């Protein structure tokens, strides 16, 4: 049994169904990410875990205890909010010890805990300040300190980095990960940022419209997304979706890529049993930008590489890579090339594609054809 | 900014001068009655009768003030307004404290612990802000009779507390809706309950709003005449009623100097409250209206 177990949890207001049956299980010490666009129900789910919102049906267990009807204070949780929610009238010290005081922890012990947490987060010099005298990053640390002081079974983070500037966000992200590794705590973390999801999580639940679209490790979600939604949501720049017709030749699955003047058959590998019913029908080929690159960057030892020619429409240098946009089968396709590869708009470039890593999706159900 | 002010064009300077001239004129116009009251109260009755209304007192004396305080006649009784002044204080302090505190709790519930129909409840309460005093007199009298409350001061405390709740609730509710509800959520997870969140977090951050309520309620309650004259009698009447009686006592000559002194004494508490709390008043009224 895990640290957190969510079983068929639903939330509705009248006929509006916010959550349509969520099942998630994580073990002690795991870092669970709930990721999805705004309005997908991820924050509602977090509030339900915290006990701040009622559960319409289903069960939530924290550390093997059914907590459906327990108030927040009895759930052995701590929460970090997007707005930090520091008590404006209290000093940093009082903010951190407020929860301890309510739990009637002896004053000497409170003091020791505040010292320990402040040292760990390097906020010892701020203890006597009020929240309005702190910068965004410092407030963030205090909010985490308040959560850490309680040493709960479960930590809940509600988009804690959204209010920070880009540089600080990356720093705090690393720090949260470090903290998690050091303390081995169980964390549920809500975000809309897929990079935060990938970098922090042990487990990711990609949510949309009140449903979990896929639940798995970051690498599973990235390499084998269950459907078009997950495939498009995770990864930046996003996966290319190219409409095509599945063909078979000598047991090999093939799709044709047409750049407007030439057509290249892309060999996807042996035709799988799941793919067989789709032969002769339209499918969507999903291929990530890094699987299309220039000849110099391609790893020559990969056995399935194929050359294609593309008309370069636009190039976007990002520094480490240059994103090259061209067209195949009438849609824009992004390739990730080396900045020194000399791609220029208007020219016809030779690109290397690794079709064996491409995925096929059913255009009607939008699920991956596995 | 400073540089800009030094390098104004002549036209801008004239414009600025014009603005200040107009402002000064209006200030004079508004201060004139107060000036007349003060100088009249310092004059002897002889000088009031013979002298110029605007002239400074020839021999300033506080005699009229002491007369007003301790021996002027309000009706048949001639012991000044001091007793009524304390009546007003005894009515004011509990009424202001109660209406502010209850308003704060109401606002906290309406903003942070919404219940089914809480918006409707707030709307209905708002109607209370628009009800003229006269409308509530009859039902209030019936209610006071039903409660059997005899003491005039206690009756006025109750009446003013109830009548003020619509305003104080609105002030606090409108302030609390600007506070992110994550604050309450965080406190709930920390283990704090309804009352602890209110007293430890919400009330300490509402100082500007408390100032608004105190000023507003003090002004309303201290200056009220109608409730005072209707719901209290004799010994327990508030200051405003006594002042009216003093001015309308029709035997003998009119003691303008005493009347002016009494009127200033009657106005002093509200003046003081504005002088000390004025900056919080503006800050509290605009809190949440503008960012920061």
């Amino acid at each position: 049994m895990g640290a957190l177990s969510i079983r068929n949890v639903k939330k509705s207001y009248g006929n509006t169904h916010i959550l349509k049956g969520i099942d998630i299980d994580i073990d002690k010490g795991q870092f669970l990410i709930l990721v999805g666009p705004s309005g997908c129900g991820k924050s509602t789910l977090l509030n339900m875990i915290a006990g701040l919102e009622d559960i319409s049906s289903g069960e939530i267990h924290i550390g093997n205890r059914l907590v459906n009807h327990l108030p927040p204070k009895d759930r052995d949780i701590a929460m970090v909010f997007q707005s930090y929610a520091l008590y404006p009238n209290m000093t940093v010290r009082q903010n951190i010890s407020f929860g301890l005081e309510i739990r009637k922890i002896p004053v000497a012990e409170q003091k020791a805990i505040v010292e320990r947490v402040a040292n760990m987060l390097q906020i010892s010099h701020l203890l006597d300040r009020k929240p309005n005298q702190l910068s965004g990053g410092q407030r963030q640390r205090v909010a985490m300190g308040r959560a850490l002081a309680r040493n709960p079974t479960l930590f809940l983070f509600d988009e804690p980095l959204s209010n920070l500037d880009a540089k600080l966000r990356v720093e705090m992200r690393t720090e949260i990960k470090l903290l998690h590794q050091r303390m081995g705590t169980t964390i549920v973390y809500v975000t809309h940022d897929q990079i935060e999801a990938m970098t922090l999580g042990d487990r990711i639940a990609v949510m949309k419209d009140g449903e979990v679209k896929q639940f798995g490790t970051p690498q599973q979600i990235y390499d084998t997304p269950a459907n078009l939604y997950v495939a498009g949501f995770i990864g930046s720049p996003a996966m290319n979706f190219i409409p095509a017709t599945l063909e078979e030749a000598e047991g090999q699955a093939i799709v044709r890529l047409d750049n407007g003047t030439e057509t290249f058959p892309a060999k996807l590998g042996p035709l799988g049993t799941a793919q067989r019913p789709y032969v002769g029908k339209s499918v969507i080929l999903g291929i990530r930008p890094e699987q299309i690159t220039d000849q110099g960057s391609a790893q020559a030892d990969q056995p399935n590489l194929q050359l294609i020619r593309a008309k370069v429409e636009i190039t976007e240098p990002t520094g480490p890579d240059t994103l090259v946009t061209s067209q195949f089968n009438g849609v824009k396709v992004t390739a990730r090339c080396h900045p020194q590869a000399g791609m220029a708009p208007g020219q016809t470039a030779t690109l290397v594609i690794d079709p064996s890593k491409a995925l096929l999706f059913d255009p009607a159900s939008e699920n991956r054809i596995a | 900014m400073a540089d800009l002010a030094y390098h104004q064009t002549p036209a801008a300077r004239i414009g600025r001068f014009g603005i200040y001239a107009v402002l000064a004129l209006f200030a004079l116009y508004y201060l004139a009655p107060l000036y007349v009251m003060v100088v009249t109260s310092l004059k002897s009755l002889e000088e009031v009768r013979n002298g110029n209304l605007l002239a400074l007192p020839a021999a300033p004396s506080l005699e009229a003030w002491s007369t007003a305080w301790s021996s002027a006649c309000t009706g048949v009784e001639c012991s000044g307004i001091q007793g009524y002044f304390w009546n007003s204080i005894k009515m004011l302090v509990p009424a202001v404290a109660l209406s502010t505190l209850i308003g704060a709790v109401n606002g906290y519930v309406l903003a942070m612990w919404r219940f089914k129909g809480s918006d409707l409840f707030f709307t209905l309460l708002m109607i209370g802000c628009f009800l003229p005093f006269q409308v509530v007199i009859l039902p209030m009298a019936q209610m006071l009779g039903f409660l059997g409350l005899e003491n005039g001061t206690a009756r006025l405390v109750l009446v003013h507390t109830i009548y003020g709740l619509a305003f104080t609730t609105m002030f606090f509710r409108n302030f609390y809706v600007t506070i992110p509800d994550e604050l309450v959520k965080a406190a709930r997870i920390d283990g704090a309950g309804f009352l602890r969140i209110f007293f430890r977090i919400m009330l300490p951050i509402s100082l500007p709003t408390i100032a608004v309520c105190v000023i507003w309620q003090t002004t309303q309650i201290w200056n009220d005449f109608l409730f005072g004259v209707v719901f209290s009698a004799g010994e327990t009447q508030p200051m405003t009623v006594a002042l009216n009686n003093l001015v309308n006592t029709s035997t003998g000559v009119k003691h303008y100097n005493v009347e002016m002194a009494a009127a200033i004494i009657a106005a002093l508490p509200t003046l003081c409250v504005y002088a000390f709390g004025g900056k919080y008043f503006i800050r509290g009224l605009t809190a949440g209206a503008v960012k920061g």
Side-chain angles (χ1 to χ4, degrees):
Chain A
M1 269 294 292
L4 172 68
S5 171
I6 300 169
R7 295 179 202 157
N8 198 23
V9 162
K10 293 180 184 171
K11 176 77 178 176
S12 339
Y13 296 102
N15 278 331
T16 320
H17 304 292
I18 311 291
L19 293 175
K20 302 165 186 164
I22 305 287
D23 286 285
I24 293 174
D25 254 286
I26 56 166
D27 291 327
K28 195 172 178 316
Q30 282 188 331
F31 200 135
L32 167 69
I33 305 275
L34 304 176
V35 65
S38 54
C40 71
K42 57 191 191 298
S43 286
T44 307
L45 182 58
L46 195 74
N47 279 336
M48 285 160 78
I49 298 171
L52 297 168
E53 281 192 51
D54 291 334
I55 301 163
S56 300
S57 72
E59 289 183 353
I60 294 180
H61 297 256
I62 296 174
N64 295 338
R65 250 183 347 147
L66 178 67
V67 297
N68 278 30
H69 300 293
L70 290 182
K73 68 183 167 75
D74 296 330
R75 293 194 177 195
D76 201 12
I77 51 163
M79 190 157 169
V80 177
F81 294 90
Q82 182 176 356
S83 69
Y84 318 135
L86 301 179
Y87 312 127
N89 55 316
M90 300 186 198
T91 62
V92 169
R93 188 191 306 279
Q94 290 166 328
N95 261 286
I96 296 174
S97 58
F98 186 62
L100 305 173
E101 183 196 317
I102 293 173
R103 267 153 237 269
K104 301 202 169 62
I105 294 187
V107 177
E109 202 176 324
Q110 284 183 29
K111 231 178 144 182
I113 293 172
V114 171
E115 297 292 316
R116 179 174 58 79
V117 168
N119 277 331
M120 188 157 58
L121 293 168
Q122 294 155 22
I123 51 173
S124 303
H125 58 296
L126 305 173
L127 283 176
D128 293 313
R129 292 204 199 163
K130 292 272 181 73
N132 62 7
Q133 297 165 303
L134 304 178
S135 69
Q138 290 169 333
R139 286 177 202 192
Q140 178 64 58
R141 279 167 201 271
V142 176
M144 285 190 348
R146 189 169 62 181
L148 286 173
R150 297 254 315 281
N151 196 23
T153 315
L154 192 61
F155 281 95
L156 307 175
F157 285 82
D158 192 2
E159 309 216 16
L161 304 183
S162 307
N163 286 358
L164 300 177
D165 63 55
K167 186 166 176 287
L168 203 54
R169 196 178 307 162
V170 175
E171 276 175 35
M172 290 304 291
R173 197 172 74 198
T174 316
E175 218 158 305
I176 291 176
K177 183 145 193 170
L178 207 66
L179 214 59
H180 173 246
Q181 279 177 3
R182 225 163 34 173
M183 307 197 31
T185 47
T186 317
I187 296 179
V188 181
Y189 186 108
V190 163
T191 180
H192 61 266
D193 179 2
Q194 53 93 15
I195 296 182
E196 260 174 47
M198 287 295 291
T199 50
L200 286 172
D202 292 323
R203 293 286 182 280
I204 297 180
V206 183
M207 294 180 65
K208 191 196 176 205
D209 299 337
E211 290 175 336
V212 173
K213 289 291 184 184
Q214 190 172 3
F215 177 60
T217 65
Q219 211 57 50
Q220 280 170 348
I221 302 253
Y222 191 78
D223 289 342
T224 52
N227 45 56
L228 277 181
Y229 179 74
V230 175
F233 188 79
I234 300 286
S236 175
M239 185 185 269
N240 296 303
F241 296 126
I242 307 169
T245 305
L246 185 63
E247 294 169 30
E248 185 198 351
E250 299 158 3
Q252 294 275 312
I254 289 174
V255 294
R256 290 180 191 280
L257 298 178
D258 178 4
N259 72 0
T261 47
E262 291 172 276
T263 302
F264 306 94
K267 293 196 195 73
L268 307 178
L271 187 73
T273 43
Q275 294 168 345
R276 187 162 299 281
Y278 289 91
V279 172
K281 292 184 182 155
S282 18
V283 291
I284 290 172
L285 179 76
I287 186 159
R288 293 210 181 267
E290 63 266 28
Q291 284 147 11
I292 314 173
T293 187
D294 58 282
Q295 279 176 288
S297 302
Q299 288 167 299
D301 56 338
Q302 295 283 332
N304 304 306
L305 298 184
Q306 279 180 256
L307 295 182
I308 54 174
R309 271 185 297 282
K311 286 181 198 139
V312 178
E313 288 187 352
I314 193 166
T315 61
E316 296 165 286
T318 63
D321 307 302
T322 294
L323 302 178
V324 174
T325 305
S326 53
Q327 284 218 15
F328 284 99
N329 297 7
V331 296
K332 285 192 166 38
V333 172
T334 305
R336 179 175 275 181
C337 297
H338 195 274
Q340 308 290 314
M343 300 289 175
Q347 70 170 198
T348 299
T350 304
L351 297 174
V352 180
I353 180 171
D354 187 351
S356 68
K357 289 195 178 146
L359 307 168
L360 290 178
F361 295 92
D362 183 325
S365 74
E366 303 203 336
N367 289 330
R368 184 163 58 86
I369 304 166
Chain B
M1 281 306 285
D3 280 348
L4 268 179
Y6 284 118
H7 299 290
Q8 275 177 342
T9 61
R13 262 186 219 192
I14 291 167
R16 190 144 287 265
F17 178 80
I19 289 170
Y20 281 114
V22 170
L23 284 175
L25 200 70
F26 274 104
L28 265 180
Y29 181 74
Y30 275 95
L31 283 172
L34 182 64
Y35 168 79
V36 171
M37 282 173 77
V38 173
V39 294
T40 307
S41 75
L42 296 173
K43 290 174 184 172
S44 68
L45 198 55
E46 193 68 15
E47 199 186 345
V48 172
R49 233 176 289 142
N50 302 328
N52 184 332
L53 188 69
L54 293 174
L56 284 168
S61 132
L62 286 173
E63 212 189 307
W65 286 66
S66 74
T67 310
W69 184 248
S70 55
S71 64
C73 294
T74 54
V76 287
E77 214 166 315
C78 289
S79 54
I81 54 168
Q82 54 176 326
Y84 304 102
F85 187 87
W86 295 120
N87 279 351
S88 271
I89 296 278
K90 277 186 256 171
M91 163 190 76
L92 180 77
V93 173
V96 169
L98 276 176
S99 58
T100 303
L101 189 69
I102 299 175
V105 177
N106 282 354
Y108 167 59
V109 170
L110 288 173
M112 298 294 185
W113 301 80
R114 304 260 174 102
F115 49 91
K116 214 171 181 172
S118 61
D119 282 336
L120 178 71
F121 183 85
F122 180 62
T123 312
L124 290 175
L125 201 65
M126 281 309 86
I127 294 173
C129 294
F130 303 107
L131 282 185
F133 278 30
Q134 289 81 348
V135 172
V136 298
I137 284 179
L138 206 56
M140 197 68 92
Q142 278 184 322
M143 192 191 76
L144 290 171
F146 177 74
L147 288 175
L149 211 55
E150 299 291 341
N151 181 288
T153 303
R155 287 158 70 108
L156 286 178
V157 167
L158 184 69
V159 170
H160 281 300
T161 301
I162 293 172
Y163 194 82
L165 275 184
F167 291 95
T168 55
T169 301
M170 177 185 70
F171 290 143
F172 278 102
R173 185 260 183 198
N174 287 353
F175 171 66
Y176 289 145
V177 291
T178 66
I179 306 292
D181 58 353
E182 289 191 343
L183 208 56
V184 172
K185 288 185 182 175
R188 283 175 68 194
I189 287 177
D190 264 344
F194 178 87
L195 284 177
R196 198 195 295 257
I197 295 174
F198 177 68
F199 284 110
R200 289 289 303 276
I201 299 166
M202 301 312 279
L203 209 52
I205 63 176
S206 344
L207 269 179
T209 308
I210 293 174
V212 168
C213 281
V214 167
I215 291 178
W216 177 269
Q217 284 296 88
T218 304
T219 315
Q220 293 286 317
I221 297 172
W222 186 271
N223 289 343
D224 163 66
F225 177 76
L226 189 61
F227 284 162
V229 85
V230 172
F231 295 122
S232 71
E235 290 287 270
T236 59
Q237 281 180 332
M239 181 76 201
T240 42
V241 180
L243 182 66
N244 173 68
N245 294 348
L246 184 143
V247 174
N248 287 335
T249 300
S250 51
T251 51
V253 283
K254 269 231 169 271
H255 295 272
Y256 287 110
N257 52 353
V258 175
E259 289 171 10
M260 290 305 171
I264 295 172
I265 293 171
L268 269 181
T270 40
L271 270 178
C272 290
V273 165
Y274 270 100
F276 292 117
K279 66 176 181 191
Y280 291 104
F281 189 67
I282 302 299
R283 206 183 293 167
L285 277 185
T286 54
V290 283
K291 196 169 167 272

